[in-house]
Amino acid sequence: MAQPVSAQQALQLLQTLRTPNKALPAWGEVHDQKTGQFIKYNPLAITDKLQKSVIDYYSQPPVDQFGHTKWMTLLGYRQGGKSTTAEYAAYCKAAYSPGWDHVCIADNRDRADYLHKRVHHLHIRWPDGLRSKNISSRESRQLTFDPLVGGKMRILSAESGAVGVGQSPDSFHASEPHLWSDFSGSMFLINPSIRNRQHCLVLFEATPWERNGDWHEHYQKAKRGAGRHFAEFFPFWDGKLNRRSWPKGWKPDNEELELLNRFGPQGLTLDNLAFRRYSLEDDDEIRKNPDMFRVMYPFDDLTCWIASAAAAIPAHVLDRHLKAELVEWSPPYMEYEPPQPGAIYAIGVDPVGYAARDHAAFQVLKCWDGEWTQVASYAAHTDPVRFAREVARVGNYYNRARIVVESNGVGQAVLALLEEAGYSNIYCEDRMRPGFTSTSKSLDKAMGWLIDALMDELVLRDKDTVEQLQTYKDDKKIEESPRTELVRGTSSSRRRDRHHWDKVSALIMAVIGARDVPRKRRPGPEYGKIPENIVFFTGLTAEQQDQYRNQLAADTDSKEQSSRRRASYRSVRRSRRKR
């Protein structure tokens, strides 16, 4: 005879049942992709990290500084079980949390039906003694549980009009939003229902798609950590099904060797490249356009997007930079290389005014003849005074760099503050006209200089800068002035709310500066070695070193003047009189 369960044991069991990373491996069954059979659920069966990350998020989500749960955006590869795993995790919450309301929006009705069938299979195969009772068997894409034990879960289609309006979910799952007819519009209607819910769980998951699309913009926002969002990326070798045995006698070609050198340390193997070869031969669309493999099975979150026809910079211009070793952006300021003695630097500045919608930004380039290397970058919401101080500080630090400021509008404030600070090395487009004036004609010319530099001289270090270059739409030419907005009676498009291309604007100014500074050849291999008989200052700032040099020059002049006063000359006339 079974022993009675105490109230404490019942509560512990209920807590385990509503915790996905405990309940699913213990009692869940899943339709296996490899065998086509229902087997015990194992998050590590076909993925290394992806499925475990999803159920861990639903089990113990991270929180922000206000105690609100953060919202996860997942960018991954095809057939990794992203959507099914998210719904399985939500089932544990909805089935065993009284009043819980889960909403999933799929891209179309067929996928919504498919996901509901997956959840229904999980439900009916749950152990009889533990299965949460559902109160109706005639529901369409919905499970409603006994309100004393659980809540409900619904799977909707993004094809429906005003989908998500009126919902108040405890958990929300956006499945394949890159295929929604209007992802931004739908989320505009849904966000008010989840924004103020402190413990709401939200998951966005999809494969990559068009660069500059709504899904790409959302991922970039999550990657920056905007609001409650955070992002996770999973390369295709995380999927255990994306492997084929590398046959004996095969030799990797040059492209495969390059991929191994770059991504091997991150986990890419020959077996993954064998899968890639198989896909290139078997899939007609991928065979016609091999770049589509990177979209369906991404290597990184930079080169996986479909090029946008609306981008101002052609895709081939950025090929060299996409293959380079780039550094993840950590705002607001990053230094990739300290200043070198004798090097010439240029700083491009995209200024900002008070209460501006966009960022203030600057880029620092080290300018040798034929090579302009990005050595530092800055971007942040700030005011003109603090921004001008930071520009002057970095300019002095980088050997009194040539500073190019976009002089239109708010740029005049930054120029005035730099002049007040005594910074002398400022780019002037004409006599008594500091800064660079942006006009339609001058911007076209500067844009051509930027594209030329990207193909030839520029060496970029910042991944965020390259991402902005990928989606840049030459926004300064299409931006409406405040006066135009007033005349038209409505505000312009949400360009600055949805895009942050200020690093590109600053890079254009830096290229103008690099073209203007004196040309100097890159030193040979002996450059930078310190002779044994020379001791450099340590612990002194650039300003303190300038003060010391000025004082040394003043002391030298004083000694020379005193020595001139003490000098005596023999009179020629006196010597003649003596004769």
Side-chain angles (χ1 to χ4, degrees), residues 259-518:
L259 290 171
L260 277 175
N261 289 333
R262 184 175 179 185
F263 299 109
Q266 302 175 30
L268 179 69
T269 66
L270 284 174
D271 289 350
N272 300 126
L273 292 179
F275 171 79
R276 176 176 175 269
R277 281 195 185 186
Y278 171 79
S279 300
L280 290 172
E281 295 173 358
D282 180 67
D283 192 303
D284 290 338
E285 291 300 320
I286 295 179
R287 185 173 60 181
K288 294 174 185 176
N289 183 8
D291 288 340
M292 286 301 296
F293 182 87
R294 288 179 174 268
V295 178
M296 302 299 179
Y297 304 98
F299 291 82
D300 56 34
D301 63 351
L302 182 64
T303 61
C304 60
W305 305 94
I306 300 174
S308 173
I313 300 173
H316 72 276
V317 173
L318 298 174
D319 284 346
R320 175 170 61 89
H321 305 283
L322 293 174
K323 296 177 182 178
E325 293 292 334
L326 301 172
V327 180
E328 287 284 355
W329 170 244
S330 178
Y333 173 75
M334 283 196 71
E335 179 181 314
Y336 312 107
E337 180 184 303
Q340 296 182 3
I344 298 176
Y345 294 89
I347 299 180
V349 178
D350 183 40
V352 69
Y354 286 100
R357 293 176 293 178
D358 55 354
H359 289 79
F362 64 76
Q363 300 274 14
V364 186
L365 299 180
K366 180 177 64 176
C367 305
W368 299 123
D369 188 14
E371 182 178 293
W372 305 338
T373 304
Q374 182 186 32
V375 295
S377 60
Y378 172 97
H381 285 293
T382 185
D383 60 79
V385 176
R386 292 181 182 178
F387 181 59
R389 289 174 181 168
E390 184 67 7
V391 172
R393 181 191 72 80
V394 175
N396 283 317
Y397 177 64
Y398 280 101
N399 300 350
R400 205 74 167 176
R402 177 75 52 85
I403 295 179
V404 183
V405 182
E406 186 184 15
S407 59
N408 300 50
V410 295
Q412 293 295 329
V414 175
L415 286 168
L417 290 166
L418 288 173
E419 184 178 355
E420 184 180 359
Y423 199 94
S424 58
N425 195 10
I426 297 176
Y427 170 85
C428 296
E429 59 185 349
D430 203 350
R431 183 178 178 84
M432 304 301 292
R433 286 181 59 188
F436 177 85
T437 304
S438 294
T439 64
S440 178
K441 183 177 180 180
S442 66
L443 284 173
D444 281 339
K445 186 182 295 185
M447 191 66 191
W449 293 340
L450 173 64
I451 292 176
D452 288 341
L454 287 167
M455 296 181 68
D456 299 321
E457 294 95 347
L458 267 177
V459 177
L460 298 177
R461 306 280 185 79
D462 175 34
K463 186 176 181 181
D464 188 53
T465 298
V466 176
E467 288 175 341
Q468 291 191 23
L469 286 166
Q470 284 183 303
T471 60
Y472 184 61
K473 289 185 178 179
D474 210 356
D475 63 332
K476 289 184 177 299
K477 291 180 64 177
I478 63 174
E479 180 181 11
E480 292 185 354
S481 66
R483 183 176 299 177
T484 304
E485 292 181 0
L486 289 172
V487 171
R488 190 160 49 82
T490 57
S491 63
S492 63
S493 64
R494 295 183 297 168
R495 177 192 60 80
R496 281 296 182 183
D497 292 336
R498 298 174 62 189
H499 300 276
H500 291 290
W501 292 317
D502 307 282
K503 282 188 177 180
V504 179
S505 300
L507 187 62
I508 293 174
M509 297 299 114
V511 167
I512 294 170
R515 290 170 56 89
D516 186 66
V517 297

Side-chain angles (χ1 to χ4, degrees), residues 93-317:
K93 293 291 186 181
Y96 300 100
S97 302
W100 191 277
D101 186 8
H102 171 74
V103 176
C104 169
I105 298 181
D107 53 295
N108 56 49
R109 290 181 179 86
D110 289 340
R111 272 187 47 79
D113 289 336
Y114 170 82
L115 286 176
H116 177 69
K117 288 179 181 178
R118 292 296 189 191
V119 176
H120 185 69
H121 289 154
L122 176 74
H123 174 65
I124 63 176
R125 290 174 178 275
W126 207 261
D128 291 338
L130 298 175
R131 186 188 308 136
S132 182
K133 183 180 179 181
N134 58 310
I135 62 177
S136 174
S137 60
R138 297 183 178 179
E139 295 176 311
S140 176
R141 297 199 300 265
Q142 179 169 319
L143 280 174
T144 303
F145 301 99
D146 184 341
L148 296 177
V149 179
K152 63 181 178 180
M153 58 188 307
R154 294 162 287 164
I155 302 179
L156 310 177
S157 167
E159 294 175 331
S160 304
V163 62
V165 175
Q167 314 294 339
S168 298
D170 295 283
S171 57
F172 172 72
H173 171 206
S175 177
E176 304 293 346
H178 68 292
L179 299 177
W180 292 16
S181 57
D182 184 12
F183 175 51
S184 292
S186 297
M187 289 310 304
F188 174 75
L189 299 174
I190 295 170
N191 276 326
S193 66
I194 60 178
R195 182 175 292 119
N196 294 324
R197 296 183 69 84
Q198 182 175 359
H199 303 296
C200 183
L201 304 175
V202 179
L203 173 66
F204 303 87
E205 50 83 14
T207 51
W209 201 240
E210 185 179 10
R211 194 180 298 156
N212 240 354
D214 289 344
W215 169 237
H216 179 259
E217 291 177 6
H218 173 86
Y219 176 74
Q220 295 300 324
K221 176 179 70 175
K223 190 177 176 181
R224 293 194 300 268
R228 294 168 69 171
H229 297 275
F230 74 99
E232 289 197 21
F233 167 75
F234 298 92
F236 85 95
W237 54 84
D238 177 82
K240 296 181 180 180
L241 301 181
N242 301 331
R243 302 167 187 174
R244 300 289 185 273
S245 296
W246 184 267
K248 292 183 179 180
W250 276 19
K251 292 183 179 180
D253 57 29
N254 290 336
E255 184 179 8
E256 290 168 338
L257 287 173
E258 184 179 346
L259 290 171
L260 277 175
N261 289 333
R262 184 175 179 185
F263 299 109
Q266 302 175 30
L268 179 69
T269 66
L270 284 174
D271 289 350
N272 300 126
L273 292 179
F275 171 79
R276 176 176 175 269
R277 281 195 185 186
Y278 171 79
S279 300
L280 290 172
E281 295 173 358
D282 180 67
D283 192 303
D284 290 338
E285 291 300 320
I286 295 179
R287 185 173 60 181
K288 294 174 185 176
N289 183 8
D291 288 340
M292 286 301 296
F293 182 87
R294 288 179 174 268
V295 178
M296 302 299 179
Y297 304 98
F299 291 82
D300 56 34
D301 63 351
L302 182 64
T303 61
C304 60
W305 305 94
I306 300 174
S308 173
I313 300 173
H316 72 276
V317 173

